[in-house]
Amino acid sequence: MHTYKPSKTVKEQVEYLESNKRVVFNEISKKEAEEILFKYGYINVITPYKHRFAKKDKGKVVKDETGRHIYERDVDFKEYYDLYVNERKKYPTISANVIYFETRFRSILSYTILNSTDINCDSDFMNFLESIRLRISQSNNYSEKRLERMNESISKLESNIEKYHDVYCFFDNLSLGESLTLFNGLDYKTQDKIFDSCKSINIHFNVDKTPDFASKVFTLVSVRNCVMHCNSLEVLKRFFNPKYKTLRDRKSTRTFESMINYLSSEKAHTEWC
């Protein structure tokens, strides 16, 4: 049976940081640190950034015999807090740019599908979803885990058809992940048509090929979910599987850093004004 660490009060958390993580409280007092940890959480303010201050050997974090990080210098609590604040300052802009993309992508997707496919009743739509499932299952472009998630998404869509007044309302309620699943199950000609439409209004992430566009949207979905759930982008960039502490390779990390930087730029959503 997996056991959990005992919970600590914010005062105990501050004491733990001081005695185990070499955290000092010069620019931010212990009392202020307690208030910060109460409002934002240890798991958000401290946990994502510990590796930045830990001892490293050839770029890899070094741990002691108990599996804990080794700290070779005192770290002011403000250094942790600044990293947290600077990351979270990006979230409103990222959110606005994600909404900007998601609105347009879903509109283009639904318009293209509805004007190129005969969907006149629920049974037609069920047949359409099965065709999506079949094409995805025949693709060699996805991992087993991703295929499983997309199949689950299709099953969810099939079970929800009767909840909506018509197919237009159905498409309007698609999540970004569901929209991407449908996109990846379309025939290549229709995918290219949608990509060309996205490119025409500059929501193509500066790529020239449809598969590269789909890959970018997969990354965007992960960033979107992270930000919308107020989780840490530092963790998203660093870990492939946080549960098992499986780190991403450099290429994967750079992919996420590139998308986060792209979405952090105040450009797209300003067109709303």
Side-chain angles (χ1 to χ4, degrees):
M1 181 177 66
H2 181 64
T3 58
Y4 305 127
K5 295 179 181 179
S7 178
K8 290 181 173 65
T9 65
V10 289
K11 184 176 181 180
E12 291 171 333
Q13 290 172 19
V14 166
E15 291 172 351
Y16 175 78
L17 287 170
E18 186 175 39
S19 60
N20 290 273
K21 306 295 183 184
R22 294 192 63 170
V23 175
V24 296
F25 302 88
N26 296 326
E27 296 191 58
I28 292 178
S29 69
K30 290 184 179 180
K31 184 64 177 176
E32 291 170 325
E34 289 176 12
E35 293 175 358
I36 288 168
L37 292 172
F38 178 74
K39 287 190 292 184
Y40 307 120
Y42 186 103
I43 198 170
N44 293 313
V45 178
I46 303 298
T47 302
Y49 311 106
K50 291 186 296 183
H51 71 100
R52 294 203 177 203
F53 305 107
K55 180 180 178 179
K56 297 180 180 67
D57 181 25
K58 297 179 179 178
K60 294 184 178 181
V61 173
V62 176
K63 295 185 179 180
D64 63 20
E65 61 276 3
T66 65
R68 293 183 175 181
H69 293 105
I70 300 170
Y71 300 93
E72 298 183 300
R73 71 170 179 88
D74 291 342
V75 182
D76 199 291
F77 182 85
K78 188 175 185 298
E79 294 181 68
Y80 279 100
Y81 187 51
D82 283 348
L83 288 170
Y84 168 78
V85 169
N86 289 334
E87 178 183 271
R88 298 305 167 115
K89 280 181 178 178
K90 300 175 182 178
Y91 283 30
T93 302
I94 291 174
S95 299
N97 281 327
V98 168
I99 291 169
Y100 180 92
F101 172 83
E102 186 171 349
T103 302
R104 286 152 180 76
F105 177 65
R106 186 174 59 206
S107 179
I108 291 169
L109 176 82
S110 58
Y111 178 87
T112 305
I113 291 174
L114 291 171
N115 282 280
S116 61
T117 310
D118 289 327
I119 302 177
N120 300 308
C121 60
D122 289 350
S123 61
D124 288 342
F125 199 55
M126 290 292 284
N127 290 334
F128 166 74
L129 291 177
E130 279 305 308
S131 71
I132 295 291
R133 188 194 300 276
L134 180 61
R135 288 195 192 94
I136 287 174
S137 67
Q138 293 174 339
S139 173
N140 296 319
N141 298 327
Y142 312 113
S143 66
E144 287 187 15
K145 189 171 184 179
R146 181 162 284 178
L147 282 171
E148 181 181 344
R149 287 179 178 174
M150 288 195 286
N151 274 311
E152 289 174 354
S153 180
I154 295 169
S155 296
K156 181 182 176 183
L157 292 174
E158 289 172 337
S159 65
N160 286 340
I161 287 177
E162 294 182 356
K163 294 181 180 180
Y164 299 101
H165 176 67
D166 55 31
V167 70
Y168 307 104
C169 294
F170 180 91
F171 273 103
D172 191 52
N173 282 274
L174 289 174
S175 69
L176 181 55
E178 291 166 343
S179 298
L180 181 57
T181 295
L182 293 185
F183 176 81
N184 283 298
L186 295 170
D187 62 85
Y188 292 144
K189 183 178 179 180
T190 306
Q191 285 185 5
D192 288 342
K193 186 175 182 179
I194 291 169
F195 172 62
D196 287 342
S197 295
C198 290
K199 194 173 182 179
S200 72
I201 60 171
N202 198 29
I203 58 167
H204 64 299
F205 310 108
N206 300 319
V207 298
D208 296 314
K209 297 180 179 179
T210 303
D212 294 336
F213 172 75
S215 180
K216 289 285 187 180
V217 182
F218 271 120
T219 305
L220 183 145
V221 170
S222 295
V223 174
R224 176 225 185 262
N225 292 342
C226 180
V227 169
M228 297 303 181
H229 289 97
C230 300
N231 298 137
S232 173
L233 288 171
E234 185 83 359
V235 173
L236 178 67
K237 289 186 296 183
R238 190 163 180 252
F239 288 100
F240 175 75
N241 189 324
K243 179 179 180 180
Y244 299 106
K245 298 183 179 180
T246 307
L247 295 172
R248 295 187 185 279
D249 58 31
R250 289 184 180 180
K251 181 179 179 182
S252 178
T253 296
R254 287 195 296 267
T255 295
F256 277 91
E257 287 175 342
S258 176
M259 179 57 69
I260 291 166
N261 289 336
Y262 179 88
L263 294 172
S264 298
S265 174
E266 293 195 35
K267 50 183 185 306
H269 70 274
T270 56
E271 292 187 19
W272 288 109
C273 301

